[in-house]
Amino acid sequence: MKKSVYVVHSAVIAAIYIVITWIFAPISFGHNIFQLRVSEALCVLPLFTPGAIFGLFAGCFLSNLLFGGLGIIDLIFGSLATLAGASATYALRRKNPLIALFPPVIINAVVVGGYLKYLLFTNISAYVIMGYTFLGEFLACYVLGYPLFLALKKHADKIFGVKF
């Protein structure tokens, strides 16, 4: 992949992630026990382009910085969880897409759910917080993201230069 195409994919994905997070900000952040970050549906994009890995990381980092309000822990660990999930999805892209979408779900459940327990919900079991985070990420990746994957798959050659 040409470097310029990689940079464009990363920048566009980061921008879309930020806009979607901003639009759905009331449900995108862990200030409530359940969060549904609709922008995490974009976790399907590493199936199409390696540019999505940095784009998702940058979009998550900037969204947490601009709108999040949970500080440095969320900036670092939330963004790194998204980076790890996107990297794993990219690594598994040749497998079944339903399997490749699972890493962001489990990584965010453990990492984000783990620190939300200590930042906001000290009186609730970590397993409960991780379960709610798992549910939100599952809905984003599978209920919203998988249909996005199916729609993009039809035009992947034109949009991303890849064939399925």
Side-chain angles (χ1 to χ4, degrees), residues 63-142:
S63 293
N64 288 347
L65 178 66
L66 297 170
F67 318 119
L70 288 181
I72 193 74
I73 292 173
D74 194 31
L75 280 174
I76 293 171
F77 293 105
S79 302
L80 287 176
T82 296
L83 178 64
S87 297
T89 297
Y90 181 75
L92 295 170
R93 72 191 181 282
R94 300 289 180 231
K95 306 280 184 199
N96 182 325
L98 293 172
I99 294 169
L101 287 177
F102 196 65
V105 175
I106 196 69
I107 292 168
N108 277 286
V110 172
V111 174
V112 176
Y115 70 73
L116 288 178
K117 156 71 175 154
Y118 295 101
L119 290 178
L120 295 173
F121 306 109
T122 56
N123 60 340
I124 301 173
S125 166
Y127 297 116
V128 171
I129 304 304
M130 288 179 189
Y132 276 107
T133 307
F134 179 94
L135 177 61
E137 192 72 13
F138 181 87
L139 292 172
C141 288
Y142 285 94

Side-chain angles (χ1 to χ4, degrees), residues 14-90:
I16 293 169
Y17 188 104
I18 293 165
V19 169
I20 293 171
T21 303
W22 175 69
I23 290 170
F24 293 99
I27 62 170
S28 291
F29 295 98
H31 299 106
N32 298 309
I33 195 167
F34 176 75
Q35 69 177 19
L36 174 59
R37 190 171 284 197
V38 174
S39 50
E40 285 288 297
L42 300 177
C43 285
V44 302
L45 296 179
L47 296 169
F48 300 104
T49 176
I53 298 168
F54 184 77
L56 291 168
F57 169 74
C60 180
F61 181 86
L62 292 170
S63 293
N64 288 347
L65 178 66
L66 297 170
F67 318 119
L70 288 181
I72 193 74
I73 292 173
D74 194 31
L75 280 174
I76 293 171
F77 293 105
S79 302
L80 287 176
T82 296
L83 178 64
S87 297
T89 297
Y90 181 75

